[in-house]
Amino acid sequence: MSWSRRSLLLTLPAALAACGFQPAYGPKGRAEGLMGAVRASDPTDKNSFDFVQHLEERLGRPTKPAYNLAYTITTAAIGAGITPDGAITRYTVTGGLDWTLTRLADQTRMAGGHIDAFTSYSATGSTVAGQTAQSDAYLRLMRLLGDDLLMRLIAASASFAP
């Protein structure tokens, strides 16, 4: 590694600290007030179960809930790769998430919105391989929606009054 690269790597953390950068999940980070404080509505199907599980992996299970997360998930699979004889070989799975975060103490709406994401999977191969690929695509979609929601919650949490 050249000297200029090494010096850049050594000075970068100091420069970030000087501009006010603070890790979201670090001590006194923006996500600290959300850790263990967000209770998502109960899952009603596999997609919502995977979505809530991912949120709880990132924010922790709600031990002292201060916020309620209401959400609605919609999905659709669209044939994306079609052979000349009409067989579908690839699917694109689209997903939408409508969400609202409410403070439990006074039922004030703190944040909300809509998120879209997509993923895809191959439908070639055996039936078992196709079903496994489909299941994996939906799991990845729920994780994408969950990660996007977490970024928005962390950004919005700066405006939450304690």
Side-chain angles (χ1 to χ4, degrees):
M1 181 182 294
S2 71
W3 177 252
S4 62
R5 278 190 172 167
R6 191 173 299 140
S7 63
L8 176 66
L9 288 175
L10 293 174
T11 59
L12 190 59
L16 288 174
C19 75
F21 174 78
Q22 188 174 17
Y25 290 101
K28 298 182 184 176
R30 284 190 175 174
E32 187 176 46
L34 298 173
M35 301 300 288
V38 177
R39 187 195 182 289
S41 298
D42 293 334
T44 57
D45 59 8
K46 171 107 172 74
N47 286 335
S48 58
F49 177 83
D50 290 339
F51 173 75
V52 170
Q53 182 181 25
H54 184 63
L55 288 179
E56 289 181 353
E57 285 172 4
R58 299 287 301 275
L59 293 176
R61 291 190 58 96
T63 53
K64 295 181 182 176
Y67 305 101
N68 183 59
L69 176 69
Y71 61 90
T72 303
I73 298 171
T74 56
T75 60
I78 303 161
I82 302 172
T83 63
D85 61 346
I88 299 174
T89 60
R90 186 155 196 83
Y91 286 90
T92 297
V93 182
T94 60
L97 174 71
D98 290 307
W99 62 279
T100 302
L101 187 73
T102 307
R103 186 171 40 218
L104 291 173
D106 57 5
Q107 297 302 307
T108 301
R109 181 183 184 274
M110 304 303 290
H114 179 81
I115 299 169
D116 288 311
F118 72 94
T119 187
S120 61
Y121 68 95
S122 174
T124 59
S126 69
T127 303
V128 173
Q131 289 174 344
T132 302
Q134 178 184 30
S135 176
D136 181 63
Y138 279 92
L139 176 63
R140 285 183 285 124
L141 181 61
M142 294 306 110
R143 289 172 131 350
L144 286 169
L145 291 171
D147 285 341
D148 197 339
L149 173 64
L150 287 167
M151 286 187 294
R152 293 172 192 227
L153 287 176
I154 290 168
S157 69
S159 66
F160 295 177

